[in-house]
Amino acid sequence: MLDTTTRNLVKATVPVLKEHGVTLTRHFYARMFAHNPELKPIFNQGNQQSGSQQQALAMAVLAYAEHIDSPMVLLPVLTLVANKHVSLGIRAEHYPIVGKHLLASIKEVLGNAASDELLQAWAAAYGQLADVLIAQETAIYAKAATIPGGWTGWRSFVVSKKIVESDEISSFYLKPADGGAVPDYQPGQYISVKVFVPELGIMQPRQYSLSCSPGQEYLRISVKREAEMPGKPAGLVSNVLHRDVQQGAMLDVAPPMGNYVLHEDRDTPVVLISAGVGVTPKLAMLEHLLKQNTPRQIRFLHACRHGGVHAFKQQVREWSQQFAQVKTMTYYEVPRAEDQVAIDYDQQGRLNLQDLSSDFLLADADYYVCGPRAFMQAQITSLRDMGIASDRIHKEAFGSGGFAH
Ligand code: FAD
């Protein structure tokens, strides 16, 4: 535990962090990549370019300063961050490098306001945070390496099959190139995949949720191609995967990670809520529940723009016809002429949980939400307004950071 003087010094920086946090983190990343370019392949350069990583780190530093008296309240978020770090290959030896550039950035951005005492206080605070994360990450690495079929770091997988699921989503079936076993994982977890990005001239990792239940002889991910849009360049890795990675290609894969998982210790009903490619972890959860012959009631709510981008509709329809406890509700925001109401979708417009009857939504359920940031915010607000306890609301953001929401 840090002493009172140190904690007070860190807390005194809260107003500055609120105002200049992003300036600080922008400076930090630029400094670190200039001095240690070997770290670039570990960090998501798309999030660097969009600015979302700088925003996420600024929020993280601020949250840490605000909670410096009782940092353990941040433990759930730190667990999420530790899982992400392991999936990216961040190791204990990287922390001193990050710490050095963070402290130098505080000094360079705050100028005279950064006294020696303040810098020492932040050095101690950073050291404490690093120790917590390194301990968690060491345990996660060890567990990932020791489970049957497990490994640590990157392992080569071969793309045994590539299947088009919609106009913008394709699935990649991945088998270990060494012929070894596929590890068990919890439905909802993700893997990291690393590919060479020609535009950057370096490797880049990205996380992808496993989109099938565990216990198969492959891992499957389903990737949306992030197309160029006004003001937004085409996504780097998703386009490499769609354009360059075909059946037979090799991919570097990090072990399954993440704590957005199906709670199998509960017998509550399960409500799965997604938009767009946020459907992927839900598919793993649904398939797993059905393979276990679950007696739990299941609702599968999905929103997308129209039938052209509605992935896995056939599979989900078959499951709902086969298993009486599965009921689906699909929303198309802008249906096309060829989209057939009642077969492909139920409602036109956006998903609004408040419009659904409590019979359909199921009281006392666990709710799993995944989709774009604005969609998730809307659903989580609705669930809270409906009085759902926060330990029944489970969420996965497909973006950077863990301090949002
Ligand atoms: P990037 O190059 O990383 O760009 C990301 C976004 O930033 C793009 O929309 C891009 O247009 C925008 N951007 C980049 N530069 C700028 C700029 N200068 N200005 C404005 N905008 C900019 N994705 C899936 O498809 N399926 C999944 O199952 C899935 N699961 C995930 C699970 C987790 C836990 C996480 C964290 C993410 C998941 N993702 C999933 C998202 C995935 O990891 C990638 O983020 C996604 O594929 C985009 O990566 P990219 O390299 O193509 O885009």
Side-chain angles (χ1 to χ4, degrees):
M1 181 71 171
L2 301 171
D3 63 43
T4 314
T5 314
T6 302
R7 284 186 278 125
N8 285 342
L9 280 161
V10 169
K11 275 188 283 184
T13 54
V14 164
V16 176
L17 291 173
K18 277 189 177 150
E19 206 180 329
H20 302 295
V22 176
T23 310
L24 173 71
T25 54
R26 244 192 248 130
H27 186 92
F28 156 74
Y29 279 118
R31 192 182 203 284
M32 185 171 73
F33 292 137
H35 288 81
N36 293 89
E38 75 280 6
L39 294 186
K40 275 189 175 181
I42 296 180
F43 287 79
N44 180 324
Q45 296 301 317
N47 288 343
Q48 289 292 329
Q49 284 164 17
S50 70
S52 64
Q53 189 63 49
Q54 292 86 339
Q55 184 73 39
L57 181 63
M59 285 172 75
V61 174
L62 175 63
Y64 184 49
E66 285 176 328
H67 293 96
I68 199 73
D69 285 331
S70 49
M72 284 304 118
V73 298
L74 297 175
L75 204 56
V77 182
L78 293 179
T79 306
L80 196 146
V81 171
N83 274 269
K84 278 265 181 74
H85 281 178
V86 174
S87 84
L88 293 170
I90 290 175
R91 299 274 179 178
E93 62 262 31
H94 295 126
Y95 281 87
I97 303 174
V98 170
K100 182 176 89 181
H101 293 299
L102 192 60
L103 288 173
S105 299
I106 294 175
K107 194 175 161 74
E108 287 159 10
V109 171
L110 297 193
N112 289 339
S115 64
D116 285 348
E117 293 74 29
L118 182 82
L119 290 172
Q120 275 162 20
W122 263 107
Y126 176 77
Q128 175 180 264
L129 184 62
D131 287 348
V132 172
L133 284 171
I134 290 169
Q136 283 209 33
E137 288 159 18
T138 305
I140 299 171
Y141 273 117
K143 187 172 170 211
T146 46
I147 61 167
W151 72 100
T152 181
W154 299 97
R155 182 180 179 191
S156 276
F157 276 67
V158 62
V159 177
S160 64
K161 203 161 54 165
K162 180 176 176 183
I163 301 285
V164 174
E165 308 284 8
S166 78
D167 291 355
E168 52 188 22
I169 296 178
S170 286
S171 287
F172 297 79
Y173 291 70
L174 307 172
K175 289 188 173 176
D178 56 20
V182 170
D184 196 16
Y185 56 89
Q186 290 175 276
Q189 288 193 302
Y190 58 82
I191 54 173
S192 279
V193 164
K194 196 165 65 163
V195 297
F196 182 76
V197 175
E199 293 92 326
L200 301 175
I202 54 173
M203 301 293 281
Q204 277 287 279
R206 294 290 183 273
Q207 287 89 20
Y208 292 103
S209 302
L210 291 159
S211 63
C212 65
S213 64
Q216 327 249 19
E217 55 185 24
Y218 50 78
L219 300 173
R220 185 181 75 171
I221 56 171
S222 305
V223 179
K224 177 187 172 201
R225 189 175 69 82
E226 296 292 345
E228 186 177 348
M229 308 263 275
K232 287 177 79 182
L236 294 169
V237 170
S238 61
N239 276 284
V240 168
L241 288 168
H242 275 257
R243 189 187 58 221
D244 303 337
V245 176
Q246 314 302 342
Q247 186 176 326
M250 304 286 260
L251 284 178
D252 286 342
V253 174
M257 288 291 139
N259 45 8
Y260 172 70
V261 294
L262 183 68
H263 286 263
E264 295 189 66
D265 51 337
R266 302 182 183 174
D267 57 6
T268 48
V270 179
V271 179
L272 304 167
I273 305 167
S274 62
V277 76
V279 69
T280 51
K282 280 176 32 177
L283 290 168
M285 293 178 183
L286 177 59
E287 188 180 29
H288 181 72
L289 283 163
L290 299 178
K291 272 167 62 180
Q292 304 296 309
N293 288 321
T294 182
R296 297 168 81 174
Q297 287 289 314
I298 304 170
R299 299 292 180 264
F300 193 95
L301 284 72
H302 183 61
C304 56
R305 297 197 304 286
H306 52 68
V309 293
H310 184 185
F312 305 103
K313 59 183 160 198
Q314 178 84 13
Q315 176 65 82
V316 173
R317 190 188 308 142
E318 279 171 25
W319 278 331
S320 71
Q321 286 166 349
Q322 209 180 332
F323 297 91
Q325 81 266 43
V326 180
K327 293 196 170 37
T328 66
M329 184 68 77
T330 306
Y331 297 76
Y332 283 1
E333 195 167 0
V334 278
R336 307 164 306 174
E338 66 263 46
D339 293 330
Q340 295 174 53
V341 188
I343 295 182
D344 292 339
Y345 71 105
D346 305 286
Q347 305 279 345
Q348 179 170 350
R350 292 191 165 185
L351 190 164
N352 184 353
L353 295 175
Q354 315 260 13
D355 292 344
L356 293 166
S357 73
S358 53
D359 277 359
F360 184 83
L361 259 193
L362 302 166
D364 202 29
D366 270 274
Y367 299 83
Y368 296 85
V369 188
C370 190
R373 196 165 286 271
F375 171 86
M376 285 184 50
Q377 262 326 347
Q379 309 319 317
I380 290 163
T381 303
S382 290
L383 290 169
R384 287 185 183 145
D385 288 349
M386 288 155 60
I388 308 298
S390 55
D391 71 331
R392 291 297 180 84
I393 304 173
H394 315 284
K395 50 192 187 287
E396 182 82 286
F398 277 7
S400 48
F403 286 77
H405 304 292

